[in-house]
Amino acid sequence: MLLEKERIEVLEYGKRMILDGLTQGTGGNLSVLNSEKNLMAITPSGIDYLKLQPEDIVIIDVESGKIVDGNRVPSSEGDMHRIFYKYRKDIKAVVHTHSKYATGLSCLGKKLPAIHYLLAVAGVDVPCAKYATYGTVKLAKNAFDAMVGTKATLLSNHGLLTGGESLSEAYNIAQNVEFCCELYSIAKTMGEPEILSEEEMRNVMERFKDYGKRIEEHDEI
Protein backbone atom coordinates (compact mmCIF):
# COMPACT_ATOMS: atom_id res chain seq x y z
CA MET A 1 0.00 0.00 0.00
CA LEU A 2 1.42 3.40 -1.01
CA LEU A 3 2.40 5.52 2.01
CA GLU A 4 1.02 2.91 4.40
CA LYS A 5 2.83 4.41 7.41
CA GLU A 6 1.43 7.89 6.70
CA ARG A 7 -2.06 6.53 6.09
CA ILE A 8 -2.12 4.74 9.44
CA GLU A 9 -0.83 7.85 11.23
CA VAL A 10 -3.52 10.05 9.65
CA LEU A 11 -6.13 7.43 10.56
CA GLU A 12 -5.04 7.33 14.21
CA TYR A 13 -4.97 11.10 14.66
CA GLY A 14 -8.35 11.44 12.92
CA LYS A 15 -9.87 9.18 15.55
CA ARG A 16 -8.13 11.17 18.28
CA MET A 17 -9.69 14.40 16.97
CA ILE A 18 -13.14 12.95 17.62
CA LEU A 19 -12.30 11.37 20.98
CA ASP A 20 -10.56 14.55 22.19
CA GLY A 21 -13.51 16.73 21.11
CA LEU A 22 -11.50 18.75 18.59
CA THR A 23 -14.12 18.30 15.87
CA GLN A 24 -17.67 17.06 15.37
CA GLY A 25 -19.07 14.43 13.01
CA THR A 26 -17.02 14.37 9.82
CA GLY A 27 -15.82 17.97 10.20
CA GLY A 28 -12.19 19.01 10.03
CA ASN A 29 -9.37 17.19 8.26
CA LEU A 30 -5.69 16.35 8.60
CA SER A 31 -2.77 15.31 6.47
CA VAL A 32 0.90 14.43 6.53
CA LEU A 33 3.61 14.96 3.92
CA ASN A 34 6.08 12.43 2.55
CA SER A 35 8.85 14.83 1.52
CA GLU A 36 10.85 12.25 -0.40
CA LYS A 37 7.96 11.43 -2.75
CA ASN A 38 6.33 14.88 -2.50
CA LEU A 39 3.03 13.18 -1.76
CA MET A 40 0.55 13.88 1.02
CA ALA A 41 -1.85 11.52 2.78
CA ILE A 42 -5.13 13.26 3.65
CA THR A 43 -8.44 12.28 5.19
CA PRO A 44 -11.37 11.65 2.84
CA SER A 45 -14.52 13.75 2.69
CA GLY A 46 -17.70 12.86 4.57
CA ILE A 47 -16.66 9.63 6.31
CA ASP A 48 -16.94 8.96 10.05
CA TYR A 49 -13.41 9.14 11.50
CA LEU A 50 -14.09 6.16 13.76
CA LYS A 51 -14.94 4.01 10.74
CA LEU A 52 -11.94 4.95 8.59
CA GLN A 53 -9.63 2.27 7.23
CA PRO A 54 -6.08 2.87 5.89
CA GLU A 55 -7.28 2.42 2.30
CA ASP A 56 -9.78 5.28 2.82
CA ILE A 57 -6.93 7.78 3.22
CA VAL A 58 -6.26 9.55 -0.07
CA ILE A 59 -2.78 10.12 -1.53
CA ILE A 60 -2.30 13.37 -3.45
CA ASP A 61 0.61 14.77 -5.45
CA VAL A 62 1.62 18.02 -3.77
CA GLU A 63 2.77 19.76 -6.93
CA SER A 64 -0.23 19.03 -9.17
CA GLY A 65 -2.99 18.32 -6.65
CA LYS A 66 -3.91 15.13 -8.52
CA ILE A 67 -5.02 11.95 -6.74
CA VAL A 68 -2.25 9.35 -6.93
CA ASP A 69 -3.94 6.59 -4.93
CA GLY A 70 -7.26 6.05 -3.19
CA ASN A 71 -10.88 5.48 -4.20
CA ARG A 72 -12.40 8.03 -1.82
CA VAL A 73 -13.11 11.70 -2.43
CA PRO A 74 -10.35 13.66 -0.66
CA SER A 75 -11.12 16.37 1.87
CA SER A 76 -12.54 19.51 0.31
CA GLU A 77 -9.74 21.44 2.04
CA GLY A 78 -6.95 19.67 0.17
CA ASP A 79 -5.65 22.93 -1.29
CA MET A 80 -5.41 24.44 2.19
CA HIS A 81 -3.05 21.62 3.15
CA ARG A 82 -1.16 21.52 -0.13
CA ILE A 83 -0.27 25.23 -0.15
CA PHE A 84 1.72 24.81 3.06
CA TYR A 85 3.60 21.79 1.75
CA LYS A 86 4.51 23.69 -1.40
CA TYR A 87 5.72 26.91 0.23
CA ARG A 88 6.54 26.23 3.92
CA LYS A 89 9.56 23.96 4.43
CA ASP A 90 8.95 23.86 8.19
CA ILE A 91 5.51 22.29 7.83
CA LYS A 92 5.14 18.60 7.05
CA ALA A 93 1.76 17.96 8.68
CA VAL A 94 -1.47 19.96 8.87
CA VAL A 95 -4.43 19.66 11.25
CA HIS A 96 -7.75 21.45 10.72
CA THR A 97 -10.29 21.31 13.55
CA HIS A 98 -13.72 22.66 14.36
CA SER A 99 -13.02 22.74 18.09
CA LYS A 100 -15.59 24.74 20.06
CA TYR A 101 -13.59 27.54 21.67
CA ALA A 102 -11.26 28.17 18.73
CA THR A 103 -14.22 28.21 16.35
CA GLY A 104 -16.15 30.48 18.70
CA LEU A 105 -13.28 32.95 18.84
CA SER A 106 -12.89 32.78 15.06
CA CYS A 107 -16.45 34.09 14.75
CA LEU A 108 -15.24 37.38 16.24
CA GLY A 109 -12.67 37.72 13.47
CA LYS A 110 -9.96 38.58 16.00
CA LYS A 111 -6.61 37.02 16.86
CA LEU A 112 -5.97 34.98 20.00
CA PRO A 113 -3.52 37.01 22.12
CA ALA A 114 -0.87 35.55 24.43
CA ILE A 115 -3.24 34.61 27.27
CA HIS A 116 -0.94 31.77 28.45
CA TYR A 117 2.67 30.76 27.87
CA LEU A 118 1.59 27.44 26.31
CA LEU A 119 0.49 29.39 23.25
CA ALA A 120 4.21 29.66 22.44
CA VAL A 121 4.01 26.20 20.82
CA ALA A 122 2.34 28.07 17.94
CA GLY A 123 4.00 31.47 18.11
CA VAL A 124 3.64 34.84 19.82
CA ASP A 125 -0.11 34.82 19.18
CA VAL A 126 -2.59 33.20 16.80
CA PRO A 127 -3.91 35.42 13.98
CA CYS A 128 -7.32 35.09 12.36
CA ALA A 129 -7.49 34.56 8.60
CA LYS A 130 -10.08 36.44 6.58
CA TYR A 131 -13.25 34.53 5.77
CA ALA A 132 -13.64 32.65 2.50
CA THR A 133 -15.97 29.82 1.49
CA TYR A 134 -14.77 26.41 2.66
CA GLY A 135 -12.92 24.28 0.14
CA THR A 136 -11.80 27.20 -2.02
CA VAL A 137 -8.36 28.32 -3.16
CA LYS A 138 -9.21 31.71 -1.67
CA LEU A 139 -9.51 30.17 1.79
CA ALA A 140 -6.21 28.33 1.28
CA LYS A 141 -4.48 31.61 0.37
CA ASN A 142 -6.08 33.49 3.26
CA ALA A 143 -4.91 30.84 5.72
CA PHE A 144 -1.39 30.81 4.27
CA ASP A 145 -1.11 34.61 4.39
CA ALA A 146 -2.36 34.75 7.99
CA MET A 147 -0.03 32.03 9.24
CA VAL A 148 3.23 33.82 8.39
CA GLY A 149 5.65 33.48 11.32
CA THR A 150 3.42 31.13 13.28
CA LYS A 151 2.19 27.54 13.17
CA ALA A 152 -1.49 28.23 13.76
CA THR A 153 -4.28 30.45 12.54
CA LEU A 154 -7.94 30.80 13.28
CA LEU A 155 -10.15 30.62 10.18
CA SER A 156 -12.82 33.30 10.45
CA ASN A 157 -16.28 31.82 11.13
CA HIS A 158 -14.88 28.36 10.47
CA GLY A 159 -12.31 26.82 12.81
CA LEU A 160 -8.60 26.33 13.45
CA LEU A 161 -5.63 25.35 11.29
CA THR A 162 -2.24 24.23 12.61
CA GLY A 163 0.97 22.92 11.08
CA GLY A 164 4.12 21.24 12.29
CA GLU A 165 7.22 19.24 11.46
CA SER A 166 5.19 16.14 12.32
CA LEU A 167 1.56 15.19 12.83
CA SER A 168 2.32 14.88 16.52
CA GLU A 169 3.50 18.49 16.67
CA ALA A 170 0.61 19.86 14.59
CA TYR A 171 -1.88 18.00 16.76
CA ASN A 172 -0.23 19.18 19.99
CA ILE A 173 -0.46 22.77 18.74
CA ALA A 174 -4.16 22.30 17.95
CA GLN A 175 -4.79 21.00 21.47
CA ASN A 176 -2.90 23.85 23.13
CA VAL A 177 -4.51 26.55 21.00
CA GLU A 178 -7.95 25.18 21.84
CA PHE A 179 -6.97 25.19 25.55
CA CYS A 180 -5.82 28.81 25.31
CA CYS A 181 -9.01 29.81 23.45
CA GLU A 182 -11.01 28.29 26.29
CA LEU A 183 -8.92 30.14 28.90
CA TYR A 184 -9.37 33.38 26.99
CA SER A 185 -13.14 32.91 26.83
CA ILE A 186 -13.32 32.18 30.56
CA ALA A 187 -11.09 35.12 31.49
CA LYS A 188 -13.10 37.53 29.32
CA THR A 189 -16.29 36.64 31.22
CA MET A 190 -14.61 37.75 34.47
CA GLY A 191 -12.79 40.83 33.26
CA GLU A 192 -9.96 41.88 30.99
CA PRO A 193 -7.16 39.28 30.98
CA GLU A 194 -3.50 40.18 31.34
CA ILE A 195 -1.67 39.44 28.09
CA LEU A 196 1.94 38.26 28.08
CA SER A 197 4.44 40.46 26.27
CA GLU A 198 6.00 39.55 22.94
CA GLU A 199 9.40 39.47 24.68
CA GLU A 200 8.17 36.90 27.19
CA MET A 201 6.53 34.76 24.50
CA ARG A 202 9.72 34.71 22.44
CA ASN A 203 11.64 33.76 25.57
CA VAL A 204 9.26 30.82 26.13
CA MET A 205 9.51 29.83 22.46
CA GLU A 206 13.29 29.55 22.87
CA ARG A 207 12.90 27.48 26.04
CA PHE A 208 10.46 25.14 24.28
CA LYS A 209 13.10 24.28 21.66
CA ASP A 210 14.98 22.24 24.28
CA TYR A 211 11.97 21.19 26.33
CA GLY A 212 12.37 17.61 27.51
CA LYS A 213 15.81 17.34 25.89
CA ARG A 214 18.05 18.68 28.63
CA ILE A 215 18.10 19.32 32.35
CA GLU A 216 17.20 22.92 33.16
CA GLU A 217 19.78 25.13 34.82
CA HIS A 218 18.43 27.16 37.69
CA ASP A 219 19.48 30.41 39.31
CA GLU A 220 20.25 30.49 43.02
CA ILE A 221 17.20 30.75 45.23
Side-chain angles (χ1 to χ4, degrees):
M1 182 184 294
L2 183 62
L3 266 58
E4 182 176 7
K5 174 179 173 291
E6 288 85 353
R7 280 174 142 142
I8 291 172
E9 189 177 24
V10 167
L11 179 77
E12 290 174 347
Y13 275 94
K15 291 178 179 179
R16 280 189 63 181
M17 279 208 308
I18 291 291
L19 298 176
D20 291 341
L22 292 183
T23 198
Q24 305 293 321
T26 61
N29 35 76
L30 50 109
S31 70
V32 65
L33 173 70
N34 182 303
S35 301
E36 188 177 321
K37 293 181 169 62
N38 205 30
L39 300 175
M40 70 181 196
I42 190 168
T43 46
S45 179
I47 299 179
D48 187 336
Y49 286 101
L50 299 180
K51 296 179 180 178
L52 283 176
Q53 299 299 318
E55 57 267 25
D56 294 322
I57 306 303
V58 185
I59 308 302
I60 292 178
D61 179 76
V62 170
E63 189 60 36
S64 67
K66 292 181 179 180
I67 297 173
V68 174
D69 193 36
N71 297 318
R72 299 292 187 180
V73 176
S75 168
S76 59
E77 303 292 6
D79 285 335
M80 190 166 64
H81 294 243
R82 200 161 61 88
I83 194 171
F84 286 93
Y85 298 146
K86 287 186 73 171
Y87 303 114
R88 285 275 299 262
K89 299 305 180 185
D90 61 328
I91 290 181
K92 296 180 176 62
V94 172
V95 173
H96 169 42
T97 76
H98 292 171
S99 49
K100 291 179 181 178
Y101 286 93
T103 302
L105 186 57
S106 82
C107 293
L108 299 177
K110 297 179 180 179
K111 72 177 183 181
L112 171 65
I115 183 74
H116 193 281
Y117 74 87
L118 282 176
L119 197 63
V121 296
V124 172
D125 53 33
V126 176
C128 187
K130 293 180 181 178
Y131 180 81
T133 305
Y134 82 93
T136 61
V137 172
K138 180 62 175 173
L139 177 60
K141 290 182 177 179
N142 287 355
F144 185 82
D145 290 344
M147 221 162 99
V148 172
T150 182
K151 289 187 175 180
T153 183
L154 300 173
L155 304 172
S156 186
N157 300 89
H158 186 153
L160 170 67
L161 187 75
T162 66
E165 287 278 356
S166 64
L167 204 42
S168 175
E169 182 188 9
Y171 193 84
N172 178 61
I173 292 171
Q175 286 183 305
N176 278 289
V177 172
E178 173 65 6
F179 171 69
C180 290
C181 285
E182 183 176 5
L183 287 183
Y184 187 63
S185 298
I186 293 170
K188 288 288 281 186
T189 66
M190 297 185 289
E192 196 58 37
E194 291 287 337
I195 302 302
L196 297 174
S197 68
E198 179 176 345
E199 180 183 7
E200 173 57 13
M201 290 301 285
R202 294 200 181 280
N203 174 48
V204 175
M205 288 166 68
E206 281 299 313
R207 291 172 69 91
F208 276 176
K209 289 179 180 179
D210 293 325
Y211 187 71
K213 298 177 182 177
R214 64 178 176 84
I215 297 174
E216 290 278 353
E217 296 181 359
H218 298 282
D219 295 331
E220 276 300 324
I221 59 172

